[in-house]
Amino acid sequence: DVKVTQSSRYLVKRTGEKVFLECVQDMDHENMFWYRQDPGLGLRLIYFSYDVKMKEKGDIPEGYSVSREKKERFSLILESASTNQTSMYLCASSWGTDNEKLFFGSGTQLSVL
Amino acid sequence: AQKVTQAQTEISVVEKEDVTLDCVYETRDTTYYLFWYKQPPSGELVFLIRRNSFDEQNEISGRYSWNFQKSTSSFNFTITASQVVDSAVYFCALSSNSGGYQKVTFGTGTKLQVIP
């Protein structure tokens, strides 16, 4: 069965900490995405990647960076966590260039205190 | 820029009622794809359907049906004879790759509660 795995289900960090959220997919997908989900705002795209070492800004990239050194792994980095980055973070992946469906991980609920 | 609007924030229906979830989209691309995803209380989004912009045929899958109307930029989702297991948040999404790569934009979601 296909799988997108996010390293942590719950995470609590302090303001100013550097935070790494990891996502791994086992489907050999080219595309990977990071979204954050907030009540009333739906899913908002932070960053995405369509190939190893390639990345593109989404709609809300400020305060975040990403890394994709291997095809199966896409990391989201909060350089200096702030309380307004408390959110549910969802990783997703998809195959190819024909707008295929996304496969999602279970999400990481990040709380920044 | 592309945009997806789901005007209904929350809907409550009694079991066995029919319910329609609305989705309106905006895009400048001529080729695009529309999706619906379901997010049950467990949290993981599950794919329901994918339609491309050249295929306006309505689709039915069991109790689920989708109405795609390009003229009104809408892609509505109807659940017939709703069941408690349909309770979830439903997201409409728009996908295109005009920049050479896939970009997917989601609506804000509609929370559906089916009351037994």
Side-chain angles (χ1 to χ4, degrees):
Chain A
D1 210 6
V2 296
K3 223 164 170 52
V4 178
T5 303
Q6 293 184 232
S7 52
S8 305
R9 187 73 177 95
Y10 299 96
L11 210 52
V12 180
K13 296 292 181 180
R14 296 233 174 255
T15 303
E17 277 193 77
K18 190 169 185 176
V19 182
F20 292 86
L21 302 183
E22 305 287 346
C23 176
V24 177
Q25 50 96 0
D26 64 0
M27 297 164 281
D28 203 34
H29 284 171
E30 286 82 2
N31 310 308
M32 296 189 75
F33 306 81
W34 275 107
Y35 290 88
R36 62 177 283 177
Q37 181 177 8
D38 300 287
L41 298 177
L43 275 69
R44 292 180 293 165
L45 182 62
I46 305 171
Y47 266 96
F48 61 104
S49 168
Y50 53 93
D51 201 351
V52 176
K53 296 192 188 296
M54 306 305 288
K55 60 185 178 184
E56 290 290 332
K57 292 180 180 179
D59 300 315
I60 52 162
E62 296 78 19
Y64 303 94
S65 62
V66 290
S67 171
R68 193 163 180 204
E69 296 297 318
K70 294 185 177 181
K71 192 175 185 180
E72 68 269 19
R73 185 180 297 270
F74 192 36
S75 303
L76 180 69
I77 304 157
L78 287 67
E79 295 290 341
S80 177
S82 63
T83 55
N84 62 14
Q85 292 178 310
T86 291
S87 185
M88 172 66 81
Y89 289 88
L90 295 170
C91 176
S93 70
S94 70
W95 181 82
T97 59
D98 197 24
N99 296 282
E100 298 291 334
K101 65 182 180 183
L102 300 188
F103 290 85
F104 281 87
S106 301
T108 295
Q109 178 61 53
L110 173 67
S111 297
V112 182
L113 306 178
Chain B
Q2 51 192 42
K3 185 178 177 182
V4 177
T5 300
Q6 295 179 254
Q8 303 151 307
T9 307
E10 289 193 42
I11 301 176
S12 289
V13 298
V14 176
E15 201 171 20
K16 296 185 184 174
E17 284 184 351
D18 299 347
V19 58
T20 295
L21 309 182
D22 298 331
C23 173
V24 174
Y25 63 91
E26 295 175 29
T27 181
R28 293 181 187 154
D29 295 323
T30 54
T31 302
Y32 53 88
Y33 289 74
L34 295 163
F35 296 79
W36 276 95
Y37 289 85
K38 174 182 180 180
Q39 186 179 40
S42 60
E44 192 167 317
L45 275 85
V46 175
F47 164 81
L48 294 178
I49 188 170
R50 169 182 179 257
R51 303 294 286 182
N52 75 53
S53 51
F54 299 108
D55 182 1
E56 287 192 69
Q57 265 196 321
N58 292 333
E59 181 156 339
I60 297 174
S61 175
R63 295 184 298 106
Y64 294 171
S65 62
W66 290 271
N67 184 321
F68 177 25
Q69 292 199 345
K70 216 167 174 178
S71 60
T72 56
S73 298
S74 65
F75 186 46
N76 297 336
F77 172 29
T78 297
I79 302 174
T80 304
S82 59
Q83 299 176 3
V84 173
V85 293
D86 296 327
S87 296
V89 181
Y90 291 86
F91 289 95
C92 181
L94 171 67
S95 177
S96 68
N97 58 355
S98 59
Y101 39 76
Q102 182 183 14
K103 183 179 179 184
V104 186
T105 301
F106 284 78
T108 51
T110 298
K111 184 176 182 179
L112 173 65
Q113 184 179 15
V114 181
I115 303 164

mmCIF file with all atom_site columns, all heavy atoms in Angstrom, chain A residues 35-47:
data_model
loop_
_atom_site.group_PDB
_atom_site.id
_atom_site.type_symbol
_atom_site.label_atom_id
_atom_site.label_alt_id
_atom_site.label_comp_id
_atom_site.label_asym_id
_atom_site.label_entity_id
_atom_site.label_seq_id
_atom_site.pdbx_PDB_ins_code
_atom_site.Cartn_x
_atom_site.Cartn_y
_atom_site.Cartn_z
_atom_site.occupancy
_atom_site.B_iso_or_equiv
_atom_site.pdbx_formal_charge
_atom_site.auth_seq_id
_atom_site.auth_comp_id
_atom_site.auth_asym_id
_atom_site.auth_atom_id
_atom_site.pdbx_PDB_model_num
ATOM 1   N N   . TYR A 1 35 ? 1.668   21.633 3.183  1.00 0.00 ? 35 TYR A N   1
ATOM 2   C CA  . TYR A 1 35 ? 0.534   22.518 3.459  1.00 0.00 ? 35 TYR A CA  1
ATOM 3   C C   . TYR A 1 35 ? 0.429   22.718 4.961  1.00 0.00 ? 35 TYR A C   1
ATOM 4   O O   . TYR A 1 35 ? 0.841   21.870 5.748  1.00 0.00 ? 35 TYR A O   1
ATOM 5   C CB  . TYR A 1 35 ? -0.783  21.877 2.993  1.00 0.00 ? 35 TYR A CB  1
ATOM 6   C CG  . TYR A 1 35 ? -0.956  21.776 1.500  1.00 0.00 ? 35 TYR A CG  1
ATOM 7   C CD1 . TYR A 1 35 ? -0.488  20.660 0.793  1.00 0.00 ? 35 TYR A CD1 1
ATOM 8   C CD2 . TYR A 1 35 ? -1.608  22.777 0.786  1.00 0.00 ? 35 TYR A CD2 1
ATOM 9   C CE1 . TYR A 1 35 ? -0.660  20.568 -0.581 1.00 0.00 ? 35 TYR A CE1 1
ATOM 10  C CE2 . TYR A 1 35 ? -1.780  22.689 -0.586 1.00 0.00 ? 35 TYR A CE2 1
ATOM 11  C CZ  . TYR A 1 35 ? -1.303  21.582 -1.256 1.00 0.00 ? 35 TYR A CZ  1
ATOM 12  O OH  . TYR A 1 35 ? -1.473  21.491 -2.620 1.00 0.00 ? 35 TYR A OH  1
ATOM 13  N N   . ARG A 1 36 ? -0.181  23.839 5.330  1.00 0.00 ? 36 ARG A N   1
ATOM 14  C CA  . ARG A 1 36 ? -0.623  23.968 6.707  1.00 0.00 ? 36 ARG A CA  1
ATOM 15  C C   . ARG A 1 36 ? -2.136  24.121 6.716  1.00 0.00 ? 36 ARG A C   1
ATOM 16  O O   . ARG A 1 36 ? -2.716  24.706 5.780  1.00 0.00 ? 36 ARG A O   1
ATOM 17  C CB  . ARG A 1 36 ? 0.043   25.117 7.452  1.00 0.00 ? 36 ARG A CB  1
ATOM 18  C CG  . ARG A 1 36 ? -0.176  26.503 6.954  1.00 0.00 ? 36 ARG A CG  1
ATOM 19  C CD  . ARG A 1 36 ? 0.498   27.553 7.840  1.00 0.00 ? 36 ARG A CD  1
ATOM 20  N NE  . ARG A 1 36 ? -0.245  27.816 9.074  1.00 0.00 ? 36 ARG A NE  1
ATOM 21  C CZ  . ARG A 1 36 ? 0.165   28.636 10.034 1.00 0.00 ? 36 ARG A CZ  1
ATOM 22  N NH1 . ARG A 1 36 ? 1.332   29.284 9.919  1.00 0.00 ? 36 ARG A NH1 1
ATOM 23  N NH2 . ARG A 1 36 ? -0.559  28.830 11.117 1.00 0.00 ? 36 ARG A NH2 1
ATOM 24  N N   . GLN A 1 37 ? -2.756  23.533 7.724  1.00 0.00 ? 37 GLN A N   1
ATOM 25  C CA  . GLN A 1 37 ? -4.205  23.555 7.817  1.00 0.00 ? 37 GLN A CA  1
ATOM 26  C C   . GLN A 1 37 ? -4.614  24.271 9.085  1.00 0.00 ? 37 GLN A C   1
ATOM 27  O O   . GLN A 1 37 ? -4.213  23.872 10.190 1.00 0.00 ? 37 GLN A O   1
ATOM 28  C CB  . GLN A 1 37 ? -4.783  22.133 7.822  1.00 0.00 ? 37 GLN A CB  1
ATOM 29  C CG  . GLN A 1 37 ? -6.295  22.106 7.883  1.00 0.00 ? 37 GLN A CG  1
ATOM 30  C CD  . GLN A 1 37 ? -6.861  20.703 7.809  1.00 0.00 ? 37 GLN A CD  1
ATOM 31  O OE1 . GLN A 1 37 ? -6.134  19.721 7.863  1.00 0.00 ? 37 GLN A OE1 1
ATOM 32  N NE2 . GLN A 1 37 ? -8.169  20.601 7.667  1.00 0.00 ? 37 GLN A NE2 1
ATOM 33  N N   . ASP A 1 38 ? -5.398  25.323 8.939  1.00 0.00 ? 38 ASP A N   1
ATOM 34  C CA  . ASP A 1 38 ? -5.885  26.099 10.068 1.00 0.00 ? 38 ASP A CA  1
ATOM 35  C C   . ASP A 1 38 ? -7.397  26.233 9.966  1.00 0.00 ? 38 ASP A C   1
ATOM 36  O O   . ASP A 1 38 ? -7.945  26.347 8.856  1.00 0.00 ? 38 ASP A O   1
ATOM 37  C CB  . ASP A 1 38 ? -5.244  27.487 10.076 1.00 0.00 ? 38 ASP A CB  1
ATOM 38  C CG  . ASP A 1 38 ? -3.734  27.429 10.173 1.00 0.00 ? 38 ASP A CG  1
ATOM 39  O OD1 . ASP A 1 38 ? -3.245  27.106 11.268 1.00 0.00 ? 38 ASP A OD1 1
ATOM 40  O OD2 . ASP A 1 38 ? -3.058  27.681 9.157  1.00 0.00 ? 38 ASP A OD2 1
ATOM 41  N N   . PRO A 1 39 ? -8.079  26.240 11.091 1.00 0.00 ? 39 PRO A N   1
ATOM 42  C CA  . PRO A 1 39 ? -9.550  26.341 11.071 1.00 0.00 ? 39 PRO A CA  1
ATOM 43  C C   . PRO A 1 39 ? -10.020 27.568 10.289 1.00 0.00 ? 39 PRO A C   1
ATOM 44  O O   . PRO A 1 39 ? -9.533  28.677 10.502 1.00 0.00 ? 39 PRO A O   1
ATOM 45  C CB  . PRO A 1 39 ? -9.894  26.465 12.560 1.00 0.00 ? 39 PRO A CB  1
ATOM 46  C CG  . PRO A 1 39 ? -8.764  25.805 13.272 1.00 0.00 ? 39 PRO A CG  1
ATOM 47  C CD  . PRO A 1 39 ? -7.547  26.113 12.446 1.00 0.00 ? 39 PRO A CD  1
ATOM 48  N N   . GLY A 1 40 ? -10.949 27.339 9.391  1.00 0.00 ? 40 GLY A N   1
ATOM 49  C CA  . GLY A 1 40 ? -11.499 28.440 8.605  1.00 0.00 ? 40 GLY A CA  1
ATOM 50  C C   . GLY A 1 40 ? -10.653 28.870 7.421  1.00 0.00 ? 40 GLY A C   1
ATOM 51  O O   . GLY A 1 40 ? -11.108 29.656 6.588  1.00 0.00 ? 40 GLY A O   1
ATOM 52  N N   . LEU A 1 41 ? -9.433  28.366 7.347  1.00 0.00 ? 41 LEU A N   1
ATOM 53  C CA  . LEU A 1 41 ? -8.534  28.764 6.255  1.00 0.00 ? 41 LEU A CA  1
ATOM 54  C C   . LEU A 1 41 ? -8.217  27.620 5.308  1.00 0.00 ? 41 LEU A C   1
ATOM 55  O O   . LEU A 1 41 ? -7.564  27.807 4.287  1.00 0.00 ? 41 LEU A O   1
ATOM 56  C CB  . LEU A 1 41 ? -7.233  29.333 6.822  1.00 0.00 ? 41 LEU A CB  1
ATOM 57  C CG  . LEU A 1 41 ? -7.369  30.592 7.674  1.00 0.00 ? 41 LEU A CG  1
ATOM 58  C CD1 . LEU A 1 41 ? -6.015  31.007 8.242  1.00 0.00 ? 41 LEU A CD1 1
ATOM 59  C CD2 . LEU A 1 41 ? -7.970  31.744 6.864  1.00 0.00 ? 41 LEU A CD2 1
ATOM 60  N N   . GLY A 1 42 ? -8.642  26.434 5.643  1.00 0.00 ? 42 GLY A N   1
ATOM 61  C CA  . GLY A 1 42 ? -8.401  25.286 4.772  1.00 0.00 ? 42 GLY A CA  1
ATOM 62  C C   . GLY A 1 42 ? -6.934  24.922 4.709  1.00 0.00 ? 42 GLY A C   1
ATOM 63  O O   . GLY A 1 42 ? -6.173  25.139 5.656  1.00 0.00 ? 42 GLY A O   1
ATOM 64  N N   . LEU A 1 43 ? -6.528  24.366 3.586  1.00 0.00 ? 43 LEU A N   1
ATOM 65  C CA  . LEU A 1 43 ? -5.137  23.985 3.365  1.00 0.00 ? 43 LEU A CA  1
ATOM 66  C C   . LEU A 1 43 ? -4.463  25.083 2.550  1.00 0.00 ? 43 LEU A C   1
ATOM 67  O O   . LEU A 1 43 ? -4.928  25.435 1.471  1.00 0.00 ? 43 LEU A O   1
ATOM 68  C CB  . LEU A 1 43 ? -5.047  22.674 2.588  1.00 0.00 ? 43 LEU A CB  1
ATOM 69  C CG  . LEU A 1 43 ? -5.136  21.379 3.373  1.00 0.00 ? 43 LEU A CG  1
ATOM 70  C CD1 . LEU A 1 43 ? -6.532  21.180 3.929  1.00 0.00 ? 43 LEU A CD1 1
ATOM 71  C CD2 . LEU A 1 43 ? -4.745  20.201 2.502  1.00 0.00 ? 43 LEU A CD2 1
ATOM 72  N N   . ARG A 1 44 ? -3.362  25.571 3.065  1.00 0.00 ? 44 ARG A N   1
ATOM 73  C CA  . ARG A 1 44 ? -2.610  26.600 2.344  1.00 0.00 ? 44 ARG A CA  1
ATOM 74  C C   . ARG A 1 44 ? -1.225  26.061 2.017  1.00 0.00 ? 44 ARG A C   1
ATOM 75  O O   . ARG A 1 44 ? -0.542  25.519 2.879  1.00 0.00 ? 44 ARG A O   1
ATOM 76  C CB  . ARG A 1 44 ? -2.520  27.876 3.184  1.00 0.00 ? 44 ARG A CB  1
ATOM 77  C CG  . ARG A 1 44 ? -3.869  28.571 3.364  1.00 0.00 ? 44 ARG A CG  1
ATOM 78  C CD  . ARG A 1 44 ? -3.732  29.837 4.192  1.00 0.00 ? 44 ARG A CD  1
ATOM 79  N NE  . ARG A 1 44 ? -3.367  29.541 5.570  1.00 0.00 ? 44 ARG A NE  1
ATOM 80  C CZ  . ARG A 1 44 ? -2.907  30.444 6.429  1.00 0.00 ? 44 ARG A CZ  1
ATOM 81  N NH1 . ARG A 1 44 ? -2.734  31.703 6.054  1.00 0.00 ? 44 ARG A NH1 1
ATOM 82  N NH2 . ARG A 1 44 ? -2.631  30.091 7.668  1.00 0.00 ? 44 ARG A NH2 1
ATOM 83  N N   . LEU A 1 45 ? -0.821  26.269 0.766  1.00 0.00 ? 45 LEU A N   1
ATOM 84  C CA  . LEU A 1 45 ? 0.419   25.706 0.265  1.00 0.00 ? 45 LEU A CA  1
ATOM 85  C C   . LEU A 1 45 ? 1.611   26.538 0.709  1.00 0.00 ? 45 LEU A C   1
ATOM 86  O O   . LEU A 1 45 ? 1.676   27.735 0.447  1.00 0.00 ? 45 LEU A O   1
ATOM 87  C CB  . LEU A 1 45 ? 0.357   25.637 -1.264 1.00 0.00 ? 45 LEU A CB  1
ATOM 88  C CG  . LEU A 1 45 ? 1.550   25.040 -1.990 1.00 0.00 ? 45 LEU A CG  1
ATOM 89  C CD1 . LEU A 1 45 ? 1.758   23.585 -1.586 1.00 0.00 ? 45 LEU A CD1 1
ATOM 90  C CD2 . LEU A 1 45 ? 1.346   25.159 -3.497 1.00 0.00 ? 45 LEU A CD2 1
ATOM 91  N N   . ILE A 1 46 ? 2.562   25.868 1.349  1.00 0.00 ? 46 ILE A N   1
ATOM 92  C CA  . ILE A 1 46 ? 3.752   26.564 1.843  1.00 0.00 ? 46 ILE A CA  1
ATOM 93  C C   . ILE A 1 46 ? 4.869   26.484 0.798  1.00 0.00 ? 46 ILE A C   1
ATOM 94  O O   . ILE A 1 46 ? 5.398   27.490 0.346  1.00 0.00 ? 46 ILE A O   1
ATOM 95  C CB  . ILE A 1 46 ? 4.236   25.943 3.170  1.00 0.00 ? 46 ILE A CB  1
ATOM 96  C CG1 . ILE A 1 46 ? 3.109   25.921 4.209  1.00 0.00 ? 46 ILE A CG1 1
ATOM 97  C CG2 . ILE A 1 46 ? 5.434   26.719 3.715  1.00 0.00 ? 46 ILE A CG2 1
ATOM 98  C CD1 . ILE A 1 46 ? 3.448   25.132 5.462  1.00 0.00 ? 46 ILE A CD1 1
ATOM 99  N N   . TYR A 1 47 ? 5.262   25.273 0.455  1.00 0.00 ? 47 TYR A N   1
ATOM 100 C CA  . TYR A 1 47 ? 6.298   25.025 -0.538 1.00 0.00 ? 47 TYR A CA  1
ATOM 101 C C   . TYR A 1 47 ? 5.957   23.727 -1.255 1.00 0.00 ? 47 TYR A C   1
ATOM 102 O O   . TYR A 1 47 ? 5.255   22.877 -0.724 1.00 0.00 ? 47 TYR A O   1
ATOM 103 C CB  . TYR A 1 47 ? 7.666   24.843 0.127  1.00 0.00 ? 47 TYR A CB  1
ATOM 104 C CG  . TYR A 1 47 ? 8.514   26.082 0.238  1.00 0.00 ? 47 TYR A CG  1
ATOM 105 C CD1 . TYR A 1 47 ? 8.516   26.833 1.415  1.00 0.00 ? 47 TYR A CD1 1
ATOM 106 C CD2 . TYR A 1 47 ? 9.329   26.488 -0.812 1.00 0.00 ? 47 TYR A CD2 1
ATOM 107 C CE1 . TYR A 1 47 ? 9.300   27.970 1.531  1.00 0.00 ? 47 TYR A CE1 1
ATOM 108 C CE2 . TYR A 1 47 ? 10.123  27.627 -0.704 1.00 0.00 ? 47 TYR A CE2 1
ATOM 109 C CZ  . TYR A 1 47 ? 10.104  28.364 0.473  1.00 0.00 ? 47 TYR A CZ  1
ATOM 110 O OH  . TYR A 1 47 ? 10.885  29.486 0.585  1.00 0.00 ? 47 TYR A OH  1
#
